Amino acid sequence: MLRCNPVYEEMIRTYAPLTDKESVAMKWWAGITDVVEAMSSFRRYRPTRSRAEVLKEIGGGRGTKYDADVVDVVAGLIESGELEMGEAAK
């Protein structure tokens, strides 16, 4: 099972050196997983977002805020349950 991890620098370092294209792809991936992790995790100042809310956010930003191909992959992982999210988001 995959898990959203806000500490993605370690992952990026393990695949170095990256081409420019790979570097951009890793940044897109890291950005959207940060969004998913933040929305699906407990925060004292707001409730945990549901899977539907997370999917709505990333889907609404598809092709504008977020890379369309990355959104498609992440949304597929969320819908299939392969991407682990916060407890309340399940």
Side-chain angles (χ1 to χ4, degrees):
M1 177 170 294
L2 298 173
R3 184 172 168 79
C4 285
N5 188 344
V7 187
Y8 54 83
E9 290 87 0
E10 181 69 28
M11 179 180 70
I12 292 172
R13 272 188 251 125
T14 62
Y15 293 105
L18 300 173
T19 65
D20 288 343
K21 187 175 182 179
E22 290 169 330
S23 179
V24 169
M26 289 298 283
K27 289 174 185 174
W28 277 109
W29 176 259
I32 198 165
T33 56
D34 274 353
V35 168
V36 171
E37 190 276 332
M39 291 183 73
S40 66
S41 296
F42 172 76
R43 299 288 191 259
R44 276 189 289 173
Y45 51 85
R46 60 130 180 97
T48 302
R49 306 294 189 225
S50 68
R51 283 181 188 237
E53 290 172 310
V54 172
L55 288 168
K56 182 178 179 182
E57 166 59 31
I58 65 173
R62 185 182 183 277
T64 55
K65 289 185 193 176
Y66 317 113
D67 181 78
D69 293 332
V70 176
V71 168
D72 293 343
V73 170
V74 172
L77 292 170
I78 291 170
E79 290 169 348
S80 70
E82 292 181 70
L83 188 65
E84 189 175 299
M85 298 175 65
E87 286 300 312
K90 290 183 179 182

